[in-house]
Amino acid sequence: MSTAAPRPTGQDHLWSVDEHLEDILATVRPLEPIELQLPDAQGCVLVEDVTVALSLPPFDNSSMDGYAVRVADVAGASEEFPAALEVVGDVAAGQAADLLYVGPGQAARIMTGAPLPHGAETVVPVEWTDGGLGEGPVTGMRARSLAPEQTSGHVRVYRPAEARAHVRAKGSDVQAGDRALDAGTVLGPPQIALLAAIGRGTVRVRPRPRVVVLSTGSELVQPGEELGAGQIYDSNSFALTAAARDAGAIAYRVGAVADDAETLRSTIEDQLVRADLLVTTGGVSVGAYDVVKEALSHVGDEDEAGSGIEFRTLAMQPGKPQGFGSIGPDHIPLLALPGNPVSSYVSFELFVRPAIRTLMGLEDVHRPTTRARLAADKAIRSPKGRRQFLRATCADGTVRPVGGAGSHLVAALAHADALIVVPEDVESVEPGAEVEVVLLG
């Protein structure tokens, strides 16, 4: 059996976007499942099917404030000829239904959510009655003590009601034994509500991955501080931290690290304790001060097989320089992204977001794509041999580029909701042509 030749790596090989992504997803593994309390499980992914142990609702109950009656006793009732019924008691939410029985000619005052008492067949809304006041139709239920000696009296009903009217039937939402949620479900507020409603206090999930984002560069200043000569504000760490949270992670932003390899190595080592994934931005090109390459190119531990960061050149624009590998005794994945803001963000969408979604245990880890007609004043030019990603807006089957091709143009990125994909073998795309589009939101 022949053996395939090993694929060239690192600077000896021009990696395609697909090769780089494939390598990342083959390395990153879903996090181990844990049992979490419901408030802590929001945003996590279920690892097992959840079966309903308790029907919802667990008993027949009223959907209205009104009176629980027998159908025959209110048949033909009208304002001219109301049905007069004896009120035998009150039923409040949380009260046992077997404490009261509604016989012929009787009614029980009932509150929304209260169990339907024995003998009752339907509920008449209070607005269809005189509320026991004997003064014509009322607009709401009057206050009354639940003391037995104060719950007697009579009520006049002015309209008939069909059987089971205004009654929420037992199990009408879900039945005991039904599957409530499937494994792989991301737990949002509605799913948390369902789990609580069926009595689940904890659930087994894959936790949200912890992602640490740090930018590098001595020129970077934190927003709110005063800029000095040659300095710019650090936007990448804020953008990527927000993007990591949007992808489902718990994200931590680290202030910009100066161009010093030892400081960067020390900072990264300090962050390993709270990271399932590390993301750096900047310092991965071929300049004299590319600190990430200097700090991490030889970070592999001889005693830790498989560790180390590899820096690569990708056939893409923007985002040609990339780094990927693992670091530390637990082999925490690290993705090193370029420092230009657009390059950094596009790289995040293509490589980091899928890694985060893989850590979560999701099956579909990619942004959705579509085909759309290009709306542009002139043809789009693209470098031969590179897959180009252009910022754009997409609506109603049409996609329009926004901003120029520069990888530093943050303002245009803020208005984009899509990326136009120009394949490696295409050098020009004419207006009106159909193109592939990655939808960002």
Side-chain angles (χ1 to χ4, degrees), residues 18 20 194 305 330-331 385:
D18 295 334
H20 185 59
L194 175 57
D330 294 324
H331 301 299

Side-chain angles (χ1 to χ4, degrees), residues 88-135:
V88 296
D90 282 12
V91 190
Q95 181 178 331
D98 56 3
L99 297 179
L100 200 61
Y101 179 81
V102 175
Q106 295 180 333
R109 212 168 64 132
I110 193 167
M111 311 306 160
T112 302
L116 193 70
H118 294 303
E121 300 168 331
T122 189
V123 172
V124 176
V126 66
E127 295 84 0
W128 297 3
T129 76
D130 67 353
L133 302 177
E135 299 173 357

Side-chain angles (χ1 to χ4, degrees), residues 129-150:
T129 76
D130 67 353
L133 302 177
E135 299 173 357
V138 296
T139 58
M141 192 73 79
R142 66 175 180 174
R144 174 181 281 180
S145 166
L146 296 184
E149 65 273 11
Q150 295 179 314

Side-chain angles (χ1 to χ4, degrees), residues 360-409:
M360 294 175 67
L362 291 167
E363 292 186 7
D364 187 3
V365 300
H366 303 288
R367 289 285 198 184
T369 61
T370 188
R371 305 287 296 183
R373 183 180 61 83
L374 176 64
D377 297 330
K378 59 183 180 180
I380 291 177
R381 302 298 178 188
S382 186
K384 183 178 180 180
R386 293 189 187 179
R387 188 180 304 180
Q388 185 170 204
F389 298 88
L390 296 170
R391 290 143 291 170
T393 59
C394 186
D396 302 323
T398 299
V399 64
R400 183 181 299 276
V402 294
S407 57
H408 64 291
L409 302 175

Side-chain angles (χ1 to χ4, degrees), residues 189-439:
Q191 292 76 30
I192 296 290
L194 175 57
L195 290 167
I198 62 175
R200 288 290 294 266
T202 64
V203 66
R204 191 162 177 78
V205 297
R206 295 193 192 276
R208 294 168 62 195
R210 302 164 301 164
V211 176
V212 174
V213 176
L214 60 90
S215 53
T216 63
S218 297
E219 77 280 12
L220 298 178
V221 174
Q222 296 307 297
E225 298 179 4
E226 186 174 348
L227 287 177
Q231 294 183 319
I232 60 173
Y233 288 119
D234 172 20
S235 63
N236 283 355
S237 66
F238 288 91
L240 300 189
T241 301
R245 289 173 181 156
D246 181 72
I250 299 171
Y252 304 103
R253 190 190 71 85
V254 179
V257 180
D259 290 321
D260 178 77
E262 188 57 41
T263 300
L264 177 59
R265 276 194 294 266
S266 176
T267 301
I268 289 176
E269 289 172 0
D270 288 343
Q271 295 299 320
L272 289 175
V273 68
R274 64 171 181 173
D276 298 306
L277 177 69
L278 281 161
V279 180
T280 68
T281 172
V284 296
S285 191
V286 293
Y289 297 100
D290 289 322
V291 65
V292 176
K293 290 183 69 174
E294 181 184 351
L296 301 181
S297 288
H298 306 289
V299 79
D301 189 335
E302 294 180 358
D303 297 327
E304 296 293 340
S307 65
I309 309 299
E310 182 179 288
F311 292 90
R312 304 166 174 175
T313 301
L314 269 61
M316 64 180 287
Q317 185 183 41
K320 181 173 71 171
Q322 301 282 337
F324 172 65
S326 65
I327 189 169
D330 294 324
H331 301 299
I332 303 299
L334 184 147
L335 283 89
L337 311 183
N340 284 320
V342 177
S343 301
S344 176
Y345 184 73
V346 170
S347 299
F348 181 96
E349 288 291 340
L350 296 180
F351 307 125
V352 183
R353 183 183 174 92
I356 290 173
R357 308 289 280 179
T358 299
L359 286 168
M360 294 175 67
L362 291 167
E363 292 186 7
D364 187 3
V365 300
H366 303 288
R367 289 285 198 184
T369 61
T370 188
R371 305 287 296 183
R373 183 180 61 83
L374 176 64
D377 297 330
K378 59 183 180 180
I380 291 177
R381 302 298 178 188
S382 186
K384 183 178 180 180
R386 293 189 187 179
R387 188 180 304 180
Q388 185 170 204
F389 298 88
L390 296 170
R391 290 143 291 170
T393 59
C394 186
D396 302 323
T398 299
V399 64
R400 183 181 299 276
V402 294
S407 57
H408 64 291
L409 302 175
V410 182
L413 182 62
H415 297 285
D417 60 12
L419 295 173
I420 297 171
V421 183
V422 183
E424 291 88 340
D425 59 351
V426 175
E427 296 181 59
S428 179
V429 182
E430 297 295 327
E434 188 180 73
V435 293
E436 180 184 357
V437 179
V438 178
L439 302 176

Side-chain angles (χ1 to χ4, degrees), residues 41 43-50 179-188 191-192 195 203-206 360-362:
C44 297
V45 178
L46 277 176
V47 297
E48 59 188 5
D49 296 336
V50 175
R179 182 179 298 177
L181 295 171
D182 294 328
T185 300
V186 179
L187 298 181
Q191 292 76 30
I192 296 290
L195 290 167
V203 66
R204 191 162 177 78
V205 297
R206 295 193 192 276
M360 294 175 67
L362 291 167

Side-chain angles (χ1 to χ4, degrees), residues 154-180:
H154 292 80
V155 63
R156 288 182 173 83
V157 179
Y158 299 109
R159 291 175 60 179
E162 297 179 355
R164 312 289 292 178
H166 312 297
V167 174
R168 301 168 179 149
K170 176 181 178 179
S172 57
D173 190 354
V174 290
Q175 298 274 354
D178 287 350
R179 182 179 298 177

